[in-house]
Amino acid sequence: MKTKKIGLALGGGGARGLAHIGVLKALEAANIPIHAIAGTSMGALVGAWYAATGEIRQLEDIFLKVREGDMASTTKIFWKHDGVLFKNKAITDTVENGIKGKQFKDCIIPFAAVATDVKNGDEIVMSDGNVSEAVHASIAVPFVFPPVQSDSRLLMDGGFVNPVPADIVRKMGADFVIAVDVTTGWVNISEQAIDLKNAYRFMDKVITAIEYQVARERMQSADLIIHPAVSNFDWLDFPRAGEIIRTGYDETRRSLKSIYKKTGYVAPIRTPFDKFIDFLLYRE
């Protein structure tokens, strides 16, 4: 069987998007190459890092070091909406340095980021120019990050138009599209209490509900959808990075048999012990 060009569509979801790191780790370990990546919001950040650097371990190490004390207060995040999530500026700077100065044409893997035009709600697909600027636009969640000026457009988070851009990565030439969906399903917003203490949690629920509805249609372009078990994590649960990354890794491992079968790639040789561990942990 001729091997297929594999495209990866990485969705938004705040800290839940750290599951994408686990997905990429699992695909690397399985010797499955990625030929194109499209990302929205947190998926744009993780996708941009991997497309620009060709590695994922350093980004994992950065987030694994995040502790509760590194996070800005939710009140400050919600009311100042200046994009400052971490009191420890070194975290943001280290992430930024991974893609700083990179142009889309410099990426090792073709990459595109999705944003929303504030003025008219149009989908904006960015695949040219500065990668860092495109990521900033794609992750500009209202009430958290300020919108980003790009030429004559004002851009915000791409989750409002295309939370999991499977159709975009298909247009980039992928024969087999893997979509990673970290939305948590529909939420009954009427049951959510609203007060100053949990205002950001309510906003998270609203955005999740919107993205869930939009993503269902856009993901029809995917050949395989990976749903990491992230429903128990909040948008700002960065201190729980290790747990979130593991969900992406585990769910991808469970999908490997299907990926090999449908793309023509061959699994690396594994020892009897490796197979036994896989049987215990990743059987369907």
Side-chain angles (χ1 to χ4, degrees):
M1 177 180 177
K2 183 181 178 181
T3 55
K4 295 183 178 181
K5 291 183 178 179
I6 299 176
L8 200 57
L10 304 179
R16 293 186 288 264
L18 295 176
H20 300 317
I21 294 174
V23 172
L24 286 163
K25 284 180 59 183
L27 292 175
E28 272 196 350
N31 288 348
I32 294 173
I34 303 302
H35 301 90
I37 301 174
T40 295
S41 200
M42 194 63 185
L45 190 153
V46 176
W49 179 287
Y50 192 70
T53 66
E55 66 86 32
I56 200 63
R57 301 284 176 167
Q58 187 181 354
L59 187 63
E60 178 186 32
D61 290 342
I62 293 169
F63 283 109
L64 286 178
K65 294 175 183 175
V66 176
R67 299 293 179 263
E68 289 287 351
D70 295 320
M71 301 295 299
S73 70
T74 54
T75 303
K76 179 180 178 181
I77 292 170
F78 186 77
W79 289 111
K80 294 195 73 173
H81 53 87
D82 56 4
V84 178
L85 301 182
F86 306 102
K87 288 188 292 186
N88 185 351
K89 191 173 181 292
I91 296 170
T92 306
D93 290 345
T94 307
V95 173
E96 180 71 22
N97 287 338
I99 56 176
K100 188 175 182 180
K102 295 289 179 70
Q103 302 292 307
F104 278 90
K105 64 181 181 180
D106 300 325
C107 287
I108 299 169
I109 300 169
F111 172 68
V114 178
T116 304
D117 191 317
V118 172
K119 188 176 295 185
N120 54 27
D122 284 350
E123 175 185 88
I124 305 298
V125 180
M126 298 164 286
S127 58
D128 188 38
N130 186 280
V131 172
S132 180
E133 291 177 6
V135 170
H136 278 286
S138 186
I139 66 174
V141 181
F143 305 113
V144 177
F145 295 92
V148 174
Q149 189 73 43
S150 177
D151 298 325
S152 60
R153 297 187 297 252
L154 196 60
L155 304 178
M156 66 178 180
D157 189 283
F160 294 102
V161 288
N162 200 342
V164 189
D167 55 328
I168 302 302
V169 80
R170 175 77 69 189
K171 292 174 184 176
M172 294 169 70
D175 301 317
F176 186 86
V177 175
I178 301 172
V180 186
D181 178 22
V182 290
T183 61
T184 57
W186 180 255
V187 177
N188 186 346
I189 298 169
S190 67
E191 295 179 354
Q192 307 299 313
I194 307 174
D195 56 47
L196 292 180
K197 267 189 174 180
N198 69 7
Y200 102 86
R201 293 180 188 277
F202 179 76
M203 180 197 69
D204 180 24
K205 301 297 184 185
V206 172
I207 292 176
T208 295
I210 294 171
E211 291 185 345
Y212 170 73
Q213 287 295 88
V214 178
R216 287 197 300 178
E217 179 182 348
R218 305 306 288 266
M219 285 192 297
Q220 291 179 7
S221 300
D223 298 290
L224 175 72
I225 302 175
I226 295 174
H227 295 281
V230 293
S231 59
N232 292 327
F233 299 99
D234 285 338
W235 193 83
L236 290 173
D237 267 342
F238 290 97
R240 299 177 69 185
E243 299 172 67
I244 299 172
I245 291 169
R246 184 72 193 187
T247 67
Y249 185 88
D250 288 350
E251 200 58 41
T252 304
R253 290 295 305 231
R254 296 185 183 97
S255 301
L256 288 180
K257 187 175 180 180
S258 177
I259 295 172
Y260 286 131
K261 182 178 180 180
K262 295 176 181 178
T263 64
Y265 291 96
V266 179
I269 296 174
R270 303 183 66 77
T271 67
F273 180 74
D274 291 333
K275 294 178 181 178
F276 176 67
I277 294 299
D278 284 350
F279 172 76
L280 292 178
L281 298 180
Y282 307 112
R283 54 184 170 177
E284 298 179 355

PDB file of all heavy atoms in Angstrom, residues 244-273:
ATOM      1  N   ILE A 244      -2.778  16.324  31.429  1.00  0.00           N
ATOM      2  CA  ILE A 244      -3.431  16.642  30.159  1.00  0.00           C
ATOM      3  C   ILE A 244      -2.646  16.060  28.986  1.00  0.00           C
ATOM      4  O   ILE A 244      -3.230  15.476  28.064  1.00  0.00           O
ATOM      5  CB  ILE A 244      -3.586  18.165  30.002  1.00  0.00           C
ATOM      6  CG1 ILE A 244      -4.451  18.724  31.136  1.00  0.00           C
ATOM      7  CG2 ILE A 244      -4.213  18.501  28.648  1.00  0.00           C
ATOM      8  CD1 ILE A 244      -4.510  20.242  31.181  1.00  0.00           C
ATOM      9  N   ILE A 245      -1.344  16.211  29.012  1.00  0.00           N
ATOM     10  CA  ILE A 245      -0.495  15.672  27.945  1.00  0.00           C
ATOM     11  C   ILE A 245      -0.674  14.156  27.850  1.00  0.00           C
ATOM     12  O   ILE A 245      -0.743  13.585  26.758  1.00  0.00           O
ATOM     13  CB  ILE A 245       0.984  16.041  28.189  1.00  0.00           C
ATOM     14  CG1 ILE A 245       1.187  17.551  27.995  1.00  0.00           C
ATOM     15  CG2 ILE A 245       1.908  15.253  27.261  1.00  0.00           C
ATOM     16  CD1 ILE A 245       2.530  18.068  28.453  1.00  0.00           C
ATOM     17  N   ARG A 246      -0.800  13.522  28.988  1.00  0.00           N
ATOM     18  CA  ARG A 246      -0.963  12.064  29.015  1.00  0.00           C
ATOM     19  C   ARG A 246      -2.253  11.633  28.322  1.00  0.00           C
ATOM     20  O   ARG A 246      -2.292  10.591  27.654  1.00  0.00           O
ATOM     21  CB  ARG A 246      -0.971  11.571  30.470  1.00  0.00           C
ATOM     22  CG  ARG A 246      -1.040  10.056  30.601  1.00  0.00           C
ATOM     23  CD  ARG A 246       0.260   9.399  30.193  1.00  0.00           C
ATOM     24  NE  ARG A 246       0.116   7.968  30.017  1.00  0.00           N
ATOM     25  CZ  ARG A 246       1.126   7.134  29.791  1.00  0.00           C
ATOM     26  NH1 ARG A 246       2.349   7.604  29.702  1.00  0.00           N
ATOM     27  NH2 ARG A 246       0.923   5.852  29.630  1.00  0.00           N
ATOM     28  N   THR A 247      -3.318  12.434  28.470  1.00  0.00           N
ATOM     29  CA  THR A 247      -4.578  12.061  27.805  1.00  0.00           C
ATOM     30  C   THR A 247      -4.401  12.006  26.295  1.00  0.00           C
ATOM     31  O   THR A 247      -4.951  11.123  25.624  1.00  0.00           O
ATOM     32  CB  THR A 247      -5.714  13.045  28.145  1.00  0.00           C
ATOM     33  OG1 THR A 247      -5.437  14.334  27.577  1.00  0.00           O
ATOM     34  CG2 THR A 247      -5.916  13.173  29.642  1.00  0.00           C
ATOM     35  N   GLY A 248      -3.660  12.973  25.740  1.00  0.00           N
ATOM     36  CA  GLY A 248      -3.417  12.984  24.305  1.00  0.00           C
ATOM     37  C   GLY A 248      -2.564  11.811  23.861  1.00  0.00           C
ATOM     38  O   GLY A 248      -2.823  11.190  22.819  1.00  0.00           O
ATOM     39  N   TYR A 249      -1.556  11.494  24.665  1.00  0.00           N
ATOM     40  CA  TYR A 249      -0.665  10.372  24.353  1.00  0.00           C
ATOM     41  C   TYR A 249      -1.436   9.049  24.373  1.00  0.00           C
ATOM     42  O   TYR A 249      -1.358   8.252  23.426  1.00  0.00           O
ATOM     43  CB  TYR A 249       0.483  10.332  25.359  1.00  0.00           C
ATOM     44  CG  TYR A 249       1.524   9.290  25.061  1.00  0.00           C
ATOM     45  CD1 TYR A 249       2.602   9.578  24.223  1.00  0.00           C
ATOM     46  CD2 TYR A 249       1.446   8.011  25.611  1.00  0.00           C
ATOM     47  CE1 TYR A 249       3.571   8.619  23.942  1.00  0.00           C
ATOM     48  CE2 TYR A 249       2.401   7.049  25.334  1.00  0.00           C
ATOM     49  CZ  TYR A 249       3.459   7.360  24.502  1.00  0.00           C
ATOM     50  OH  TYR A 249       4.413   6.405  24.208  1.00  0.00           O
ATOM     51  N   ASP A 250      -2.195   8.841  25.439  1.00  0.00           N
ATOM     52  CA  ASP A 250      -2.917   7.578  25.594  1.00  0.00           C
ATOM     53  C   ASP A 250      -3.954   7.379  24.487  1.00  0.00           C
ATOM     54  O   ASP A 250      -4.060   6.285  23.914  1.00  0.00           O
ATOM     55  CB  ASP A 250      -3.619   7.533  26.957  1.00  0.00           C
ATOM     56  CG  ASP A 250      -2.650   7.348  28.115  1.00  0.00           C
ATOM     57  OD1 ASP A 250      -1.464   7.074  27.854  1.00  0.00           O
ATOM     58  OD2 ASP A 250      -3.078   7.484  29.272  1.00  0.00           O
ATOM     59  N   GLU A 251      -4.714   8.413  24.181  1.00  0.00           N
ATOM     60  CA  GLU A 251      -5.770   8.280  23.177  1.00  0.00           C
ATOM     61  C   GLU A 251      -5.183   8.048  21.792  1.00  0.00           C
ATOM     62  O   GLU A 251      -5.755   7.303  20.976  1.00  0.00           O
ATOM     63  CB  GLU A 251      -6.663   9.523  23.188  1.00  0.00           C
ATOM     64  CG  GLU A 251      -8.025   9.316  22.555  1.00  0.00           C
ATOM     65  CD  GLU A 251      -8.809   8.207  23.215  1.00  0.00           C
ATOM     66  OE1 GLU A 251      -8.793   8.084  24.463  1.00  0.00           O
ATOM     67  OE2 GLU A 251      -9.450   7.422  22.474  1.00  0.00           O
ATOM     68  N   THR A 252      -4.041   8.651  21.522  1.00  0.00           N
ATOM     69  CA  THR A 252      -3.391   8.445  20.222  1.00  0.00           C
ATOM     70  C   THR A 252      -2.852   7.025  20.112  1.00  0.00           C
ATOM     71  O   THR A 252      -2.963   6.388  19.054  1.00  0.00           O
ATOM     72  CB  THR A 252      -2.247   9.456  20.019  1.00  0.00           C
ATOM     73  OG1 THR A 252      -2.778  10.777  20.157  1.00  0.00           O
ATOM     74  CG2 THR A 252      -1.620   9.313  18.635  1.00  0.00           C
ATOM     75  N   ARG A 253      -2.294   6.513  21.196  1.00  0.00           N
ATOM     76  CA  ARG A 253      -1.811   5.130  21.185  1.00  0.00           C
ATOM     77  C   ARG A 253      -2.945   4.157  20.844  1.00  0.00           C
ATOM     78  O   ARG A 253      -2.742   3.186  20.128  1.00  0.00           O
ATOM     79  CB  ARG A 253      -1.221   4.773  22.556  1.00  0.00           C
ATOM     80  CG  ARG A 253       0.087   5.464  22.887  1.00  0.00           C
ATOM     81  CD  ARG A 253       1.176   5.040  21.962  1.00  0.00           C
ATOM     82  NE  ARG A 253       1.346   3.610  21.938  1.00  0.00           N
ATOM     83  CZ  ARG A 253       2.510   2.981  22.109  1.00  0.00           C
ATOM     84  NH1 ARG A 253       3.590   3.678  22.331  1.00  0.00           N
ATOM     85  NH2 ARG A 253       2.582   1.677  22.034  1.00  0.00           N
ATOM     86  N   ARG A 254      -4.123   4.443  21.356  1.00  0.00           N
ATOM     87  CA  ARG A 254      -5.267   3.577  21.072  1.00  0.00           C
ATOM     88  C   ARG A 254      -5.690   3.646  19.608  1.00  0.00           C
ATOM     89  O   ARG A 254      -6.377   2.751  19.106  1.00  0.00           O
ATOM     90  CB  ARG A 254      -6.448   3.947  21.976  1.00  0.00           C
ATOM     91  CG  ARG A 254      -6.196   3.716  23.450  1.00  0.00           C
ATOM     92  CD  ARG A 254      -7.436   3.973  24.285  1.00  0.00           C
ATOM     93  NE  ARG A 254      -7.145   3.817  25.701  1.00  0.00           N
ATOM     94  CZ  ARG A 254      -6.866   4.805  26.535  1.00  0.00           C
ATOM     95  NH1 ARG A 254      -6.865   6.052  26.094  1.00  0.00           N
ATOM     96  NH2 ARG A 254      -6.598   4.574  27.803  1.00  0.00           N
ATOM     97  N   SER A 255      -5.299   4.705  18.917  1.00  0.00           N
ATOM     98  CA  SER A 255      -5.690   4.898  17.521  1.00  0.00           C
ATOM     99  C   SER A 255      -4.637   4.420  16.528  1.00  0.00           C
ATOM    100  O   SER A 255      -4.871   4.443  15.315  1.00  0.00           O
ATOM    101  CB  SER A 255      -5.966   6.387  17.261  1.00  0.00           C
ATOM    102  OG  SER A 255      -6.986   6.872  18.102  1.00  0.00           O
ATOM    103  N   LEU A 256      -3.480   3.990  17.019  1.00  0.00           N
ATOM    104  CA  LEU A 256      -2.360   3.677  16.122  1.00  0.00           C
ATOM    105  C   LEU A 256      -2.675   2.552  15.141  1.00  0.00           C
ATOM    106  O   LEU A 256      -2.304   2.620  13.963  1.00  0.00           O
ATOM    107  CB  LEU A 256      -1.118   3.315  16.943  1.00  0.00           C
ATOM    108  CG  LEU A 256      -0.437   4.473  17.671  1.00  0.00           C
ATOM    109  CD1 LEU A 256       0.774   3.977  18.442  1.00  0.00           C
ATOM    110  CD2 LEU A 256      -0.018   5.573  16.688  1.00  0.00           C
ATOM    111  N   LYS A 257      -3.345   1.520  15.603  1.00  0.00           N
ATOM    112  CA  LYS A 257      -3.657   0.386  14.722  1.00  0.00           C
ATOM    113  C   LYS A 257      -4.448   0.865  13.507  1.00  0.00           C
ATOM    114  O   LYS A 257      -4.179   0.481  12.365  1.00  0.00           O
ATOM    115  CB  LYS A 257      -4.439  -0.665  15.494  1.00  0.00           C
ATOM    116  CG  LYS A 257      -4.683  -1.954  14.728  1.00  0.00           C
ATOM    117  CD  LYS A 257      -5.370  -2.983  15.622  1.00  0.00           C
ATOM    118  CE  LYS A 257      -5.613  -4.284  14.874  1.00  0.00           C
ATOM    119  NZ  LYS A 257      -6.291  -5.294  15.744  1.00  0.00           N
ATOM    120  N   SER A 258      -5.413   1.729  13.751  1.00  0.00           N
ATOM    121  CA  SER A 258      -6.238   2.265  12.667  1.00  0.00           C
ATOM    122  C   SER A 258      -5.414   3.155  11.736  1.00  0.00           C
ATOM    123  O   SER A 258      -5.559   3.104  10.515  1.00  0.00           O
ATOM    124  CB  SER A 258      -7.402   3.059  13.254  1.00  0.00           C
ATOM    125  OG  SER A 258      -8.170   3.650  12.234  1.00  0.00           O
ATOM    126  N   ILE A 259      -4.519   3.952  12.318  1.00  0.00           N
ATOM    127  CA  ILE A 259      -3.688   4.851  11.510  1.00  0.00           C
ATOM    128  C   ILE A 259      -2.772   4.051  10.592  1.00  0.00           C
ATOM    129  O   ILE A 259      -2.650   4.338   9.397  1.00  0.00           O
ATOM    130  CB  ILE A 259      -2.871   5.797  12.411  1.00  0.00           C
ATOM    131  CG1 ILE A 259      -3.809   6.735  13.178  1.00  0.00           C
ATOM    132  CG2 ILE A 259      -1.886   6.615  11.565  1.00  0.00           C
ATOM    133  CD1 ILE A 259      -3.113   7.576  14.224  1.00  0.00           C
ATOM    134  N   TYR A 260      -2.117   3.043  11.138  1.00  0.00           N
ATOM    135  CA  TYR A 260      -1.244   2.198  10.315  1.00  0.00           C
ATOM    136  C   TYR A 260      -2.026   1.560   9.164  1.00  0.00           C
ATOM    137  O   TYR A 260      -1.589   1.564   8.006  1.00  0.00           O
ATOM    138  CB  TYR A 260      -0.615   1.085  11.164  1.00  0.00           C
ATOM    139  CG  TYR A 260       0.481   1.538  12.098  1.00  0.00           C
ATOM    140  CD1 TYR A 260       0.472   1.160  13.436  1.00  0.00           C
ATOM    141  CD2 TYR A 260       1.536   2.325  11.644  1.00  0.00           C
ATOM    142  CE1 TYR A 260       1.475   1.551  14.308  1.00  0.00           C
ATOM    143  CE2 TYR A 260       2.555   2.723  12.503  1.00  0.00           C
ATOM    144  CZ  TYR A 260       2.514   2.339  13.840  1.00  0.00           C
ATOM    145  OH  TYR A 260       3.510   2.737  14.680  1.00  0.00           O
ATOM    146  N   LYS A 261      -3.173   1.021   9.492  1.00  0.00           N
ATOM    147  CA  LYS A 261      -3.977   0.304   8.497  1.00  0.00           C
ATOM    148  C   LYS A 261      -4.418   1.213   7.357  1.00  0.00           C
ATOM    149  O   LYS A 261      -4.428   0.813   6.184  1.00  0.00           O
ATOM    150  CB  LYS A 261      -5.199  -0.315   9.187  1.00  0.00           C
ATOM    151  CG  LYS A 261      -6.097  -1.124   8.260  1.00  0.00           C
ATOM    152  CD  LYS A 261      -7.258  -1.737   9.037  1.00  0.00           C
ATOM    153  CE  LYS A 261      -8.158  -2.545   8.114  1.00  0.00           C
ATOM    154  NZ  LYS A 261      -9.304  -3.151   8.856  1.00  0.00           N
ATOM    155  N   LYS A 262      -4.771   2.459   7.685  1.00  0.00           N
ATOM    156  CA  LYS A 262      -5.357   3.351   6.698  1.00  0.00           C
ATOM    157  C   LYS A 262      -4.350   4.235   5.964  1.00  0.00           C
ATOM    158  O   LYS A 262      -4.688   4.854   4.960  1.00  0.00           O
ATOM    159  CB  LYS A 262      -6.400   4.244   7.373  1.00  0.00           C
ATOM    160  CG  LYS A 262      -7.592   3.465   7.904  1.00  0.00           C
ATOM    161  CD  LYS A 262      -8.561   4.364   8.646  1.00  0.00           C
ATOM    162  CE  LYS A 262      -9.741   3.576   9.186  1.00  0.00           C
ATOM    163  NZ  LYS A 262     -10.683   4.434   9.948  1.00  0.00           N
ATOM    164  N   THR A 263      -3.110   4.291   6.459  1.00  0.00           N
ATOM    165  CA  THR A 263      -2.117   5.182   5.820  1.00  0.00           C
ATOM    166  C   THR A 263      -0.966   4.442   5.154  1.00  0.00           C
ATOM    167  O   THR A 263      -0.213   5.043   4.394  1.00  0.00           O
ATOM    168  CB  THR A 263      -1.532   6.158   6.857  1.00  0.00           C
ATOM    169  OG1 THR A 263      -0.809   5.410   7.861  1.00  0.00           O
ATOM    170  CG2 THR A 263      -2.628   6.978   7.513  1.00  0.00           C
ATOM    171  N   GLY A 264      -0.825   3.154   5.431  1.00  0.00           N
ATOM    172  CA  GLY A 264       0.228   2.388   4.780  1.00  0.00           C
ATOM    173  C   GLY A 264       1.555   2.383   5.504  1.00  0.00           C
ATOM    174  O   GLY A 264       2.523   1.772   5.033  1.00  0.00           O
ATOM    175  N   TYR A 265       1.641   3.041   6.662  1.00  0.00           N
ATOM    176  CA  TYR A 265       2.893   3.030   7.418  1.00  0.00           C
ATOM    177  C   TYR A 265       2.980   1.765   8.261  1.00  0.00           C
ATOM    178  O   TYR A 265       1.961   1.135   8.585  1.00  0.00           O
ATOM    179  CB  TYR A 265       3.003   4.286   8.294  1.00  0.00           C
ATOM    180  CG  TYR A 265       3.185   5.538   7.470  1.00  0.00           C
ATOM    181  CD1 TYR A 265       2.094   6.326   7.134  1.00  0.00           C
ATOM    182  CD2 TYR A 265       4.435   5.884   6.978  1.00  0.00           C
ATOM    183  CE1 TYR A 265       2.244   7.451   6.338  1.00  0.00           C
ATOM    184  CE2 TYR A 265       4.597   7.000   6.188  1.00  0.00           C
ATOM    185  CZ  TYR A 265       3.501   7.779   5.863  1.00  0.00           C
ATOM    186  OH  TYR A 265       3.661   8.882   5.057  1.00  0.00           O
ATOM    187  N   VAL A 266       4.212   1.399   8.599  1.00  0.00           N
ATOM    188  CA  VAL A 266       4.451   0.153   9.316  1.00  0.00           C
ATOM    189  C   VAL A 266       4.920   0.466  10.731  1.00  0.00           C
ATOM    190  O   VAL A 266       5.767   1.343  10.937  1.00  0.00           O
ATOM    191  CB  VAL A 266       5.518  -0.703   8.596  1.00  0.00           C
ATOM    192  CG1 VAL A 266       5.781  -1.991   9.365  1.00  0.00           C
ATOM    193  CG2 VAL A 266       5.060  -1.009   7.172  1.00  0.00           C
ATOM    194  N   ALA A 267       4.378  -0.257  11.675  1.00  0.00           N
ATOM    195  CA  ALA A 267       4.744  -0.043  13.072  1.00  0.00           C
ATOM    196  C   ALA A 267       6.197  -0.458  13.304  1.00  0.00           C
ATOM    197  O   ALA A 267       6.674  -1.430  12.710  1.00  0.00           O
ATOM    198  CB  ALA A 267       3.828  -0.860  13.979  1.00  0.00           C
ATOM    199  N   PRO A 268       6.919   0.279  14.157  1.00  0.00           N
ATOM    200  CA  PRO A 268       8.286  -0.137  14.488  1.00  0.00           C
ATOM    201  C   PRO A 268       8.278  -1.453  15.237  1.00  0.00           C
ATOM    202  O   PRO A 268       7.281  -1.821  15.876  1.00  0.00           O
ATOM    203  CB  PRO A 268       8.783   1.012  15.390  1.00  0.00           C
ATOM    204  CG  PRO A 268       7.546   1.637  15.940  1.00  0.00           C
ATOM    205  CD  PRO A 268       6.511   1.494  14.881  1.00  0.00           C
ATOM    206  N   ILE A 269       9.378  -2.183  15.151  1.00  0.00           N
ATOM    207  CA  ILE A 269       9.477  -3.478  15.828  1.00  0.00           C
ATOM    208  C   ILE A 269       9.443  -3.252  17.338  1.00  0.00           C
ATOM    209  O   ILE A 269      10.148  -2.401  17.879  1.00  0.00           O
ATOM    210  CB  ILE A 269      10.780  -4.192  15.424  1.00  0.00           C
ATOM    211  CG1 ILE A 269      10.751  -4.498  13.926  1.00  0.00           C
ATOM    212  CG2 ILE A 269      10.963  -5.471  16.239  1.00  0.00           C
ATOM    213  CD1 ILE A 269      12.044  -5.068  13.400  1.00  0.00           C
ATOM    214  N   ARG A 270       8.607  -4.028  18.026  1.00  0.00           N
ATOM    215  CA  ARG A 270       8.464  -3.887  19.472  1.00  0.00           C
ATOM    216  C   ARG A 270       8.787  -5.212  20.157  1.00  0.00           C
ATOM    217  O   ARG A 270       8.529  -6.291  19.627  1.00  0.00           O
ATOM    218  CB  ARG A 270       7.038  -3.442  19.826  1.00  0.00           C
ATOM    219  CG  ARG A 270       6.657  -2.143  19.131  1.00  0.00           C
ATOM    220  CD  ARG A 270       5.286  -1.663  19.538  1.00  0.00           C
ATOM    221  NE  ARG A 270       5.200  -1.279  20.940  1.00  0.00           N
ATOM    222  CZ  ARG A 270       5.689  -0.127  21.411  1.00  0.00           C
ATOM    223  NH1 ARG A 270       6.298   0.721  20.606  1.00  0.00           N
ATOM    224  NH2 ARG A 270       5.583   0.163  22.690  1.00  0.00           N
ATOM    225  N   THR A 271       9.339  -5.105  21.346  1.00  0.00           N
ATOM    226  CA  THR A 271       9.684  -6.295  22.129  1.00  0.00           C
ATOM    227  C   THR A 271       8.412  -6.907  22.706  1.00  0.00           C
ATOM    228  O   THR A 271       7.370  -6.239  22.789  1.00  0.00           O
ATOM    229  CB  THR A 271      10.629  -5.924  23.291  1.00  0.00           C
ATOM    230  OG1 THR A 271       9.904  -5.096  24.227  1.00  0.00           O
ATOM    231  CG2 THR A 271      11.844  -5.177  22.784  1.00  0.00           C
ATOM    232  N   PRO A 272       8.475  -8.177  23.130  1.00  0.00           N
ATOM    233  CA  PRO A 272       7.309  -8.797  23.777  1.00  0.00           C
ATOM    234  C   PRO A 272       6.822  -7.993  24.983  1.00  0.00           C
ATOM    235  O   PRO A 272       5.624  -7.900  25.236  1.00  0.00           O
ATOM    236  CB  PRO A 272       7.837 -10.171  24.198  1.00  0.00           C
ATOM    237  CG  PRO A 272       8.895 -10.470  23.184  1.00  0.00           C
ATOM    238  CD  PRO A 272       9.560  -9.149  22.900  1.00  0.00           C
ATOM    239  N   PHE A 273       7.761  -7.396  25.724  1.00  0.00           N
ATOM    240  CA  PHE A 273       7.369  -6.593  26.885  1.00  0.00           C
ATOM    241  C   PHE A 273       6.594  -5.346  26.442  1.00  0.00           C
ATOM    242  O   PHE A 273       5.587  -4.977  27.064  1.00  0.00           O
ATOM    243  CB  PHE A 273       8.607  -6.175  27.688  1.00  0.00           C
ATOM    244  CG  PHE A 273       8.287  -5.336  28.897  1.00  0.00           C
ATOM    245  CD1 PHE A 273       7.720  -5.909  30.029  1.00  0.00           C
ATOM    246  CD2 PHE A 273       8.539  -3.970  28.888  1.00  0.00           C
ATOM    247  CE1 PHE A 273       7.411  -5.135  31.142  1.00  0.00           C
ATOM    248  CE2 PHE A 273       8.227  -3.191  29.990  1.00  0.00           C
ATOM    249  CZ  PHE A 273       7.664  -3.775  31.126  1.00  0.00           C
TER     250      PHE A 273
END
